Amino acid sequence: MATIRLEDVTKNFRAPRKVGDSFASQDPVTALDHLNLTVPDGQTIAVVGPSGCGKSTLLRVAAGLETDFTGRVFYDDVDMMEVPPGDRYIGMVFQNYALYPHFKSQENLSFFFRMHKAPAEEEAERIRITSEMMGIGFKELLKRKPGTLSGGERQRVAIARAIVRRPRLFLFDEPLSNLDAKLRVQTRVEIKRLLHRFQITSLYVTHDQAEAIALGDQIAIMRAGKIEQVGPYQEVWQNPANAFVASFLGARPMNLFAGGTVVDGELRFEGIAVPLPDEVRARCGAGQKLILGVRPEAASLAYGGRPVPEGIHLRGVVEIVEPDFGHRLQTVYVRTGTFACAASGPLDPALDIGAEVSVVFPADQLYFFDAESERRIG
Ligand code: ADP
Ligand code: MG
């Protein structure tokens, strides 16, 4: 096991760009941009971010599969520059399982031991423990060749093959994204059990936030080759460092309203004025542009003669109602004069498209971001 540290890593790809019928001068793509990240020994960091933001490149750099980059990669304070991937003791599981097709699953697992001429008892013991950890029915899979397995079964074997090697570092690149929803949840539980049992330092790339929450001790949010924020999910969700993180995290993205200007201690939009809390007022100047944020869960709706909660009120019309029967919630999208915003609350079949409602934002659950830097100021 190891603490993994990436220091000031920049990775450019020089992809030839097609212009008309010929290739223009090479336009570099910055896949990683002065990126810093530490994965503490035995922890799992779940990496999320939009497609193309550099997640796979980050894993490849950590694994040593990319060599042409600047910055440094340390495993336990040892610079890995000169250490080839094969000598780093890494377990990797990618979206497209790469099992040896001609070998039965059992042989896929034992391949590593043959290569390293490990004693047979050690091999048998490690495969036994791993099979037990992998749960019900796994032993049956070992007798079959990858071609006869379903996608989910193949991925279970690929995970087992990686874990049986006792890697110092485990790298997962969207390993469950080809599986159907039910299998995804099952396999997620298996992975969690494995990570918990073996406490292997891991980077887990996913686009599924439920997976990130379930598996990550911390979550890292990436954008355009940079890590925007790292921390336990709940903490980052509650205290997003900037508007991007705020809008990216959560089952429903935070409502963000741009176009407000600070005037006389208020944030003024066309039609409404939001009083600024003291600490926000202290941190911004007159004329500054701010983005106002409020989570759909914090916004409530008043309609049909119900008591109107305290807070900032916006009158609007219901555009869409999205029921979530599993959680007994619905998310209501309301169009007000200048804003479109979402509010989630208890299911109410009586609320229909076109209904007139008031959206209410509680004053103590507002977020403020500087419009230019997008940094949170309160
Ligand atoms: P993600 O995994 O987050 O979707 P990637 O790490 O695959 O993102 O890619 C990051 C950026 O680098 C993208 O703009 C992608 O097009 C570019 N890129 C990745 N690999 C290559 C490559 N081999 N050649 C050229 N560009 C690449
Ligand atoms: Mg990727």
Side-chain angles (χ1 to χ4, degrees):
M1 273 183 281
T3 295
I4 309 299
R5 188 153 48 90
L6 283 83
E7 246 182 48
D8 198 29
V9 171
T10 296
K11 168 72 191 165
N12 294 310
F13 286 108
R14 267 163 230 295
R17 191 166 54 96
K18 207 164 182 211
V19 174
D21 282 338
S22 58
F23 285 96
S25 64
Q26 315 226 308
D27 234 11
V29 175
T30 302
L32 301 178
D33 187 3
H34 299 283
L35 178 141
N36 292 289
L37 181 66
T38 300
V39 193
D41 187 21
Q43 277 204 13
T44 299
I45 292 194
V47 181
V48 297
S51 177
C53 71
K55 302 181 297 295
S56 296
T57 308
L58 167 67
L59 294 192
R60 292 176 56 79
V61 164
L65 297 169
E66 300 286 351
T67 46
D68 179 22
F69 64 90
T70 61
R72 308 216 287 170
V73 176
F74 297 92
Y75 290 17
D76 274 342
D77 294 322
V78 177
D79 190 326
M80 300 307 275
M81 187 54 104
E82 305 297 331
V83 184
D87 296 339
R88 293 190 186 191
Y89 297 92
I90 312 165
M92 286 191 273
V93 181
F94 294 149
Q95 187 173 343
N96 305 311
Y97 13 78
L99 295 172
Y100 306 115
H102 309 300
F103 295 147
K104 283 185 194 146
S105 300
Q106 166 94 35
E107 292 155 352
N108 262 282
L109 259 60
S110 41
F111 194 78
F112 167 83
F113 299 100
R114 302 286 148 77
M115 292 286 290
H116 290 257
K117 304 201 168 46
E121 308 84 71
E122 188 190 341
E123 173 188 329
E125 179 63 5
R126 282 216 219 162
I127 292 180
R128 189 187 62 77
I129 293 174
T130 306
S131 306
E132 254 163 42
M133 298 296 302
M134 290 306 293
I136 297 164
F138 185 77
K139 282 187 190 123
E140 296 308 307
L141 302 181
L142 290 180
K143 298 173 192 154
R144 291 157 57 185
K145 286 189 180 176
T148 71
L149 302 176
S150 72
E153 291 167 341
R154 263 182 257 171
Q155 209 57 328
R156 290 171 75 191
V157 174
I159 291 164
R161 190 180 61 168
I163 206 106
V164 88
R165 304 171 186 199
R166 297 261 170 90
R168 299 173 76 191
L169 171 62
F170 220 143
L171 302 172
F172 297 90
D173 197 350
E174 311 205 12
L176 308 183
S177 56
N178 282 343
L179 311 186
D180 66 53
K182 189 169 165 220
L183 207 51
R184 214 156 48 218
V185 172
Q186 272 173 17
T187 315
R188 184 170 94 197
V189 172
E190 284 173 0
I191 296 180
K192 192 176 171 82
R193 207 184 303 131
L194 287 170
L195 293 178
H196 188 76
R197 163 80 194 266
F198 293 110
Q199 307 232 315
I200 299 168
T201 311
S202 307
L203 274 167
Y204 191 103
V205 168
T206 176
H207 61 255
D208 180 341
Q209 283 187 42
E211 228 169 278
I213 297 169
L215 293 170
D217 297 299
Q218 301 189 68
I219 185 165
I221 298 95
M222 275 186 83
R223 171 168 63 162
K226 287 186 191 301
I227 305 270
E228 296 279 326
Q229 195 170 0
V230 187
Y233 186 90
Q234 183 65 21
E235 198 178 294
V236 177
W237 185 82
Q238 211 127 47
N239 294 305
N242 56 45
F244 173 76
V245 173
S247 65
F248 194 81
L249 283 195
R252 288 157 288 271
M254 184 183 280
N255 292 297
L256 293 175
F257 308 112
T261 310
V262 176
V263 181
D264 292 340
E266 294 181 333
L267 184 60
R268 293 213 182 138
F269 295 87
E270 217 172 292
I272 61 159
V274 178
L276 292 174
D278 290 342
E279 81 274 8
V280 175
R281 210 180 300 188
R283 280 187 221 131
C284 59
Q288 189 172 344
K289 303 269 185 217
L290 301 185
I291 299 168
L292 171 69
V294 60
R295 294 216 173 267
E297 295 84 354
S300 54
L301 297 177
Y303 53 93
R306 284 160 212 233
V308 180
E310 293 238 348
I312 291 126
H313 294 227
L314 290 172
R315 293 208 54 79
V317 174
V318 173
E319 284 196 317
I320 300 170
V321 180
E322 237 174 48
D324 173 354
F325 296 107
H327 296 102
R328 300 182 184 202
L329 287 174
Q330 63 187 16
T331 302
V332 181
Y333 295 85
V334 178
R335 158 75 51 191
T336 71
T338 30
F339 302 141
C341 73
S344 56
L347 282 172
D348 179 2
L351 189 60
D352 232 333
I353 293 170
E356 289 189 13
V357 295
S358 282
V359 191
V360 186
F361 300 159
D364 60 350
Q365 293 192 52
L366 301 177
Y367 290 81
F368 299 91
F369 306 93
D370 177 63
E372 201 174 326
S373 67
E374 295 191 355
R375 274 216 193 89
R376 177 152 175 232
I377 55 173

